[in-house]
Amino acid sequence: MKCKKTVSFISIACIFVMLFSLAGCKAVDTPNSKDAMEESAYSYEASDLSTAMALQNISSPCINSKGEIAVFDEEKEKILVLDKKGALLREISDTFKGGMSLAYGTGDKLYALLQYYKRKGSEITGMITELVIYDEQGQKSGDKIEKEARGNAESFKGKFITKMMPDKKGNLYVRKSDGTLEMLDKSLNIIKAWDRVKYSDLAVDEKDNLILLQRNTGGKIYIQKFDVKNDKAIWEKELKVLDAPDYIYCNRNSGKLYGLQDGVIFNYDSKGDVDRRLLDIKELSAFDYITGFLVDDEEEIYVQSYDDEKSNIICFVKQDASEQRAAEGNKKRLIIHMSYDFGNAISNAIIQYKKEHPDVDIKINDIREISFDEMIQKLNAELMAGKGPDIIFGDFPIADYKEKGLIANLSEFIDRDKSFNIKDYDENLINASKADYGLYSIPVDYYINCFLVNTKLVEQKEIPLKKDMTWEELYTVVREANRKPDTKIYMLPEMGPQALFYYIIYGDIDYYVDKENRLARFDSQEFIRALELMKRIDDEHLFHPDIDGKKIIHSDGEFAPEDILFIPITFTSYKQIYECGKYYNSFDVIPAIRGLSTDIREVRARNIAINSNSQYKEEAWEFIKLLLSEEMQLKLSESNNLPVNNKADERSEADMFSDKDGMPPDWYRPTDEDMDNLKSLMAEINKIEPFDIELNEIVRNEVEQYMKNEKSAQDTAKAVQNKVMLYLQE
């Protein structure tokens, strides 16, 4: 059974790039693809097959030509065969202990590939792989094949098979947990290996061609159809992030190839281009993590997902679309604007909302096909025209919308709703939101940018650190330390040219820009001093030139640089402490270093607001209340960021401690002192990071010219001052 990832660990620079460039990727060019899906003659309805069978932990579903579904019941350690409605057709009598991969082959033969450790007492001495093939009636077809590999647990890391697909000859294509592929013969001998790159999924078509989904370390994603017999590619497509499926599936009867990306299922044409979208499963069923899907000959769809309690197989069955349209015709329709639904948390909340409000239909705007800038421009135009979505969620210019009267004052809803108590939510965040925006928006969740201290280096080099130091003070400390013999330490890993700008300049943007009074202070000595500090840090190479943040992050605690003072972390979950602590066997964190001119301790929050022209403001408010409720906040925190609901925050922290025994033995165990330190850091929050793309670009573009020695600090200050003043007067 697949475990969900417990932590998020990424630098501030990576987060910025993800939010502003990931959202800007273009989708596959499929004319009116969304309309084609919505205007189809049929729609889908969902049913839970695992609930029908009272199954808790199932894995490796596969489907045969008759539409029968085989699954492995991990609790009973049995293979079950179900019909389309989840009724049990037969149970294979053999018992299996280990990791199972199932797949149907030619003649609806069921291939069962089992792997487990061989032990001598408590010591792992090898790994056994077994292959059993069953006929259509569930009887063994031939003898069991067994293969043993000798070694210890470390030697088998990444070698367990996660997916298996047979070809017409009975050879097996297998994907291992490290992303490599192998082709095995009927005796489990290796015929061919694909081990130079990592593959996230595979499929086999009706002609035994291999279809591969590759995500490489350079961030590029490819889907490729490969003729194994003639050892050549039939076609290959490079995909952008938001175009790339998470999983692929090929129906070998129809020859159709399907992909699943962010809950949307679509099929490809013969050249590997997206042909049409079938279904957005997020609109019909709640789920946490999807691990695969199947599509039968009638294009009815089966999706395997996991939540905190059990695994599920959700069946999406076709129905007459006219019936659905008639049922929804009289409903109120709420539209939510958001750029990306990380972890499907908002989609799941929508499912819950529609259960509680059957007279309301609520949808997320599908805006992934335009860039982030275009998305904001589109939203601005719609709101200014008195139209647009009912609910705005995520990153948007709150202050501008408030000033123009485009969003509703949520204080009015709070004051008259006796079931809602603002004191139930994080006081610092609410006060920070009030200070900047009144209560025209409310933070739904948030994360904290902070620094993990290399305590070993600090102690060894006797480096004097203060938790409230400025970048200027840090520069002095590191410079002094590097004057000692045989010493060279770095502030941070290499993080790209934007990192210094965001830390030193943009972190003090409230000092340099007074939007309320339309004033700027970039022609000040403080700004010139900040520019010169940036330049000194860059010129003296105080960010590590050879070790970047991604290398540290991707090591999951295995790589802890000895000469870097801080690892920047984006703290999104209490459970993150376990993994972060692995680096230096401690969890000593300090807030992101202060700028030179403010005492700001800001966080990045996802905010929510109501369109002042919405017809359904009360219904929108009810949805906001649901997102802020204790249970929903707890669910949001499991897949996204830190909760703002106080009780949910307490439970999230308690869950972290209750999971202690289930964490890997080499992960760090938090102490009470760690938690006290973290809570004191959180108590200093006094600012929600502002959102203003245009202002950001004006300042950043001028600073970049200075860093390239194209302008002096004084000329840069004048240029920024003039351009920002023009911007403020517009």
Side-chain angles (χ1 to χ4, degrees):
M1 182 173 171
K2 187 176 179 179
C3 297
K4 74 180 194 179
K5 190 169 177 64
T6 58
V7 300
S8 169
F9 192 68
I10 192 166
S11 73
I12 183 172
C14 294
I15 281 287
F16 184 87
V17 169
M18 180 173 67
L19 288 173
F20 287 87
S21 63
L22 175 78
C25 291
K26 297 285 187 181
V28 175
D29 187 11
T30 54
N32 300 316
S33 59
K34 185 172 188 287
D35 294 337
M37 180 176 70
E38 292 184 345
E39 294 175 4
S40 172
Y42 59 84
S43 59
Y44 286 89
E45 62 180 353
S47 62
D48 190 341
L49 300 191
S50 45
T51 298
M53 278 294 296
L55 300 173
Q56 290 293 313
N57 296 311
I58 51 179
S59 60
S60 198
C62 58
I63 191 168
N64 65 16
S65 63
K66 301 174 184 176
E68 298 172 345
I69 303 164
V71 299
F72 181 57
D73 187 331
E74 296 179 352
E75 291 184 328
K76 292 183 178 180
E77 299 177 332
K78 296 277 189 181
I79 297 172
L80 311 178
V81 180
L82 316 174
D83 69 11
K84 287 188 174 185
K85 295 183 179 179
L88 181 65
L89 296 175
R90 56 188 168 273
E91 179 180 295
I92 291 176
S93 59
D94 295 330
T95 300
F96 302 90
K97 295 181 181 294
M100 174 65 75
S101 297
L102 298 175
Y104 278 106
T106 304
D108 284 340
K109 290 182 178 180
L110 180 61
Y111 289 70
L113 191 70
L114 183 74
Q115 285 188 303
Y116 56 91
Y117 284 133
K118 183 178 181 179
R119 298 177 186 272
K120 185 177 182 180
S122 60
E123 181 186 1
I124 294 172
T125 60
M127 182 170 64
I128 306 295
T129 303
E130 297 178 359
L131 174 65
V132 184
I133 303 173
Y134 298 92
D135 63 21
E136 293 179 80
Q137 287 73 44
Q139 302 300 313
K140 284 184 180 178
S141 177
D143 296 330
K144 177 176 70 175
I145 307 298
E146 183 176 306
K147 193 89 170 179
E148 179 180 347
R150 296 182 180 180
N152 56 24
E154 186 63 28
S155 65
F156 297 124
K157 190 174 181 180
K159 301 304 178 185
F160 268 86
I161 292 170
T162 60
K163 187 171 183 177
M164 173 265 298
M165 295 294 296
D167 67 12
K168 292 177 181 178
K169 296 178 181 179
N171 298 318
L172 305 179
Y173 295 99
V174 297
R175 178 190 177 273
K176 298 188 176 182
S177 54
D178 62 3
T180 59
L181 301 180
E182 291 177 347
M183 183 181 183
L184 310 178
D185 65 16
K186 297 176 183 178
S187 299
L188 301 180
N189 298 309
I190 299 173
I191 302 174
K192 184 176 176 64
W194 292 263
D195 54 6
R196 293 184 179 180
V197 297
K198 308 297 183 185
Y199 298 94
S200 56
D201 205 358
L202 74 121
V204 178
D205 74 4
E206 77 282 7
K207 296 179 181 179
D208 280 347
N209 295 312
L210 185 61
I211 304 164
L212 302 173
L213 183 62
Q214 174 193 341
R215 296 171 180 266
N216 68 24
T217 54
K220 293 185 178 180
I221 304 168
Y222 300 90
I223 187 167
Q224 178 189 65
K225 180 178 277 194
F226 191 76
D227 181 345
V228 178
K229 182 179 179 180
N230 295 306
D231 196 27
K232 65 177 183 179
I234 299 172
W235 52 254
E236 180 179 89
K237 299 288 181 181
E238 181 180 345
L239 306 172
K240 295 181 179 179
V241 174
L242 290 181
D243 304 343
D246 303 309
Y247 299 97
I248 54 175
Y249 177 78
C250 185
N251 182 304
R252 300 180 74 178
N253 291 332
S254 66
K256 289 183 179 180
L257 176 65
Y258 300 89
L260 187 154
Q261 190 265 332
D262 187 34
V264 176
I265 294 173
F266 46 87
N267 80 287
Y268 296 91
D269 62 20
S270 59
K271 296 180 180 179
D273 293 315
V274 171
D275 182 27
R276 63 195 172 96
R277 295 170 64 183
L278 278 69
L279 168 69
D280 186 344
I281 66 175
K282 300 189 300 296
E283 296 181 356
L284 298 177
S285 181
F287 59 90
D288 288 347
Y289 299 91
I290 291 177
T291 56
F293 74 109
L294 313 167
V295 184
D296 70 12
D297 295 354
E298 286 77 39
E299 289 193 330
E300 294 188 341
I301 298 161
Y302 304 83
V303 174
Q304 184 178 19
S305 66
Y306 286 101
D307 59 31
D308 285 336
E309 298 176 354
K310 68 185 187 76
S311 53
N312 310 286
I313 293 182
I314 310 297
C315 175
F316 297 90
V317 181
K318 287 181 178 179
Q319 64 174 354
D320 188 337
S322 61
E323 295 179 10
Q324 183 187 38
R325 284 195 286 267
E328 294 180 351
N330 295 323
K331 290 185 177 182
K332 301 171 186 176
R333 186 177 177 89
L334 278 180
I335 302 296
I336 300 177
H337 164 94
M338 61 183 299
S339 59
Y340 197 75
D341 186 12
F342 289 101
N344 308 304
I346 305 303
S347 297
N348 292 347
I350 289 172
I351 298 290
Q352 180 65 35
Y353 180 88
K354 290 198 286 191
K355 288 178 182 177
E356 297 175 3
H357 302 82
D359 62 328
V360 180
D361 186 30
I362 184 166
K363 304 274 187 186
I364 296 175
N365 254 357
D366 191 338
I367 50 178
R368 292 170 298 168
E369 296 184 2
I370 61 177
S371 72
F372 191 84
D373 286 351
E374 291 170 331
M375 177 186 73
I376 292 297
Q377 290 170 11
K378 180 176 182 289
L379 178 61
N380 292 345
E382 290 175 347
L383 293 176
M384 290 295 289
K387 300 176 182 179
D390 302 273
I391 297 170
I392 308 159
F393 178 60
D395 291 312
F396 56 96
I398 303 169
D400 289 348
Y401 288 177
K402 174 190 171 185
E403 182 182 351
K404 292 178 172 67
L406 302 178
I407 52 179
N409 187 349
L410 299 183
S411 295
E412 296 174 6
F413 298 89
I414 294 169
D415 291 344
R416 65 172 176 259
D417 191 336
K418 303 304 179 186
S419 68
F420 185 85
N421 188 350
I422 197 69
K423 293 182 180 179
D424 291 338
Y425 304 92
D426 187 289
E427 183 179 10
N428 287 350
L429 284 170
I430 297 300
N431 287 340
S433 186
K434 278 183 180 179
D436 285 333
Y437 315 117
L439 276 176
Y440 282 77
S441 72
I442 291 181
V444 173
D445 54 17
Y446 70 103
Y447 60 77
I448 306 170
N449 287 312
C450 49
F451 289 170
L452 179 69
V453 179
N454 182 344
T455 49
K456 295 179 180 179
L457 181 62
V458 170
E459 292 171 4
Q460 179 186 1
K461 300 295 184 181
E462 298 180 340
I463 299 171
L465 288 185
K466 297 189 304 179
K467 294 196 174 184
D468 62 345
M469 65 169 45
T470 66
W471 277 97
E472 206 162 40
E473 291 169 331
L474 176 61
Y475 168 77
T476 301
V477 165
V478 172
R479 195 178 185 193
E480 288 299 316
N482 284 334
R483 286 178 174 170
K484 297 177 182 178
D486 302 320
T487 298
K488 178 60 177 179
I489 67 172
Y490 301 92
M491 294 177 172
L492 293 163
E494 200 284 318
M495 294 171 61
Q498 295 180 350
L500 273 173
F501 169 76
Y502 288 107
Y503 283 135
I504 297 177
I505 303 295
Y506 213 72
D508 276 344
I509 197 67
D510 277 6
Y511 176 79
Y512 299 123
V513 177
D514 180 355
K515 281 193 172 183
E516 185 175 351
N517 295 304
R518 303 184 187 277
L519 296 173
R521 290 196 188 103
F522 290 102
D523 57 349
S524 61
Q525 284 303 310
E526 289 86 353
F527 183 65
I528 292 173
R529 199 170 99 227
L531 287 174
E532 291 172 345
L533 176 62
M534 277 184 65
K535 198 74 170 61
R536 289 199 302 273
I537 291 173
D538 188 58
D539 289 346
E540 296 175 27
H541 307 294
L542 296 183
F543 282 20
H544 204 295
D546 302 318
I547 300 175
D548 66 14
K550 290 180 182 178
K551 182 176 181 179
I552 301 171
I553 292 160
H554 293 157
S555 77
D556 290 331
E558 299 297 328
F559 175 59
E562 296 180 355
D563 54 355
I564 295 177
L565 193 55
F566 303 120
I567 298 176
I569 67 173
T570 297
F571 192 78
T572 62
S573 166
Y574 291 112
K575 292 181 182 179
Q576 205 170 338
I577 297 174
Y578 290 114
E579 191 169 348
C580 290
K582 287 172 59 179
Y583 287 86
Y584 301 112
N585 195 32
S586 67
F587 186 72
D588 186 4
V589 291
I590 64 172
I593 306 299
R594 287 196 296 110
L596 307 187
S597 302
T598 67
D599 290 321
I600 285 175
R601 294 296 189 202
E602 70 181 14
V603 296
R604 186 72 177 265
R606 294 197 298 176
N607 295 285
I608 196 162
I610 298 174
N611 183 343
S612 59
N613 287 307
S614 170
Q615 298 179 60
Y616 305 117
K617 294 186 185 69
E618 292 297 334
E619 289 78 8
W621 170 245
E622 290 298 318
F623 182 74
I624 291 176
K625 281 170 56 180
L626 175 65
L627 284 187
L628 295 175
S629 67
E630 179 182 343
E631 291 302 322
M632 195 57 65
Q633 282 274 295
L634 189 63
K635 289 179 181 178
L636 283 169
S637 72
E638 290 167 356
S639 59
N640 288 280
N641 299 322
L642 295 162
V644 299
N645 182 292
N646 292 329
K647 289 183 178 179
D649 184 68
E650 291 171 5
R651 289 174 62 184
S652 182
E653 182 181 346
D655 286 349
M656 180 268 293
F657 280 107
S658 66
D659 286 349
K660 185 184 295 187
D661 294 337
M663 291 296 171
D666 61 329
W667 284 23
Y668 179 73
R669 278 5 185 210
T671 65
D672 290 339
E673 185 179 354
D674 293 332
M675 294 309 300
D676 290 343
N677 180 40
L678 179 61
K679 289 295 184 180
S680 67
L681 183 153
M682 297 167 89
E684 295 177 2
I685 294 169
N686 57 18
K687 176 77 176 174
I688 293 176
E689 184 178 328
F691 176 87
D692 191 326
I693 294 177
E694 190 172 352
L695 174 63
N696 181 297
E697 288 181 350
I698 290 170
V699 182
R700 179 163 48 85
N701 289 341
E702 293 297 327
V703 171
E704 282 180 359
Q705 293 181 56
Y706 166 71
M707 295 298 287
K708 294 175 182 177
N709 296 316
E710 295 174 3
K711 284 185 178 181
S712 68
Q714 289 74 16
D715 289 343
T716 301
K718 289 177 184 177
V720 175
Q721 177 72 13
N722 292 336
K723 290 184 178 182
V724 171
M725 284 300 294
L726 284 173
Y727 165 71
L728 293 174
Q729 300 305 319
E730 289 177 354

